[in-house]
Structures are given as structure tokens and as C-alpha cells.
Amino acid sequence: MLNPNFIKRPYHAQCLQWDGTNTDAVLAMLTSAESNAELKGNKCIMIRYGTGITTLYHGDYVVKGENNKVKCYPPEVFNIKYQPFAGAPSL
């Protein structure tokens, strides 16, 4: 019997919001995720990973997941997708 109802499993991730003062921490997170990041005059960070390129702006979040993949979200999207979880394992 087919059950068409599913719920997405919990996804543990490390998240960091770039505010312009924590550039070194953001770049370290991106480097550990095997991404190629380039700071563009402290206004944005260009991120190359796999076959994609994205741009991180002040206030955006960097998310590194269990699979070591990086995603970037503006705050309004991040706040819908993620919430703090104190019991999460270290990645």
C-alpha cells in the first residue's frame, strides 16, 4: 500500500549569519566545507561549490549541513527553514 504522506527528517546544520564583522569565521566555515569563497570588498562573498555560484550579503546565513554541503539564505528564508536546536550533534 502506498503512503503519500511524508515529513522531512530533521536536518542538523551549522549556521552562521554574516554581519561584516565575522568575515574570518564565515570564510573558515566555507573552507571547511570545501567551497571556494572570495571576499568582494567586504560587501559580498562569492561562493563557488560543485557546479554552482552564489553570493552572500551582510545579514545572510551560511548553512553547512551533515553532508558538508553549503547553502546560503537571506534571513527571511532562513527563519522559515531553520530553528535553534540545543541537542544537535557537532558536525
Side-chain angles (χ1 to χ4, degrees):
M1 176 177 214
L2 177 65
N3 181 359
N5 300 309
F6 289 86
I7 188 167
K8 190 175 180 180
R9 71 173 181 84
Y11 181 81
H12 300 127
Q14 291 178 328
C15 306
L16 185 58
Q17 187 176 27
W18 185 41
D19 62 12
T21 65
N22 59 346
T23 302
D24 289 340
V26 170
L27 292 175
M29 178 185 268
L30 293 169
T31 300
S32 71
E34 300 177 3
S35 299
N36 182 4
E38 182 182 346
L39 181 64
K40 298 287 190 176
N42 201 33
K43 293 187 179 203
C44 67
I45 298 175
M46 297 293 293
I47 305 165
R48 292 177 182 83
Y49 53 93
T51 59
I53 297 175
T54 192
T55 304
L56 184 73
Y57 297 97
H58 290 199
D60 288 352
Y61 284 85
V62 177
V63 177
K64 183 173 83 169
E66 296 168 338
N67 57 3
N68 213 34
K69 299 286 183 189
V70 171
K71 295 183 180 183
C72 299
Y73 298 103
E76 57 274 9
V77 175
F78 176 85
N79 291 326
I80 292 170
K81 291 179 157 276
Y82 293 92
Q83 64 185 19
F85 179 58
S90 296
L91 298 179

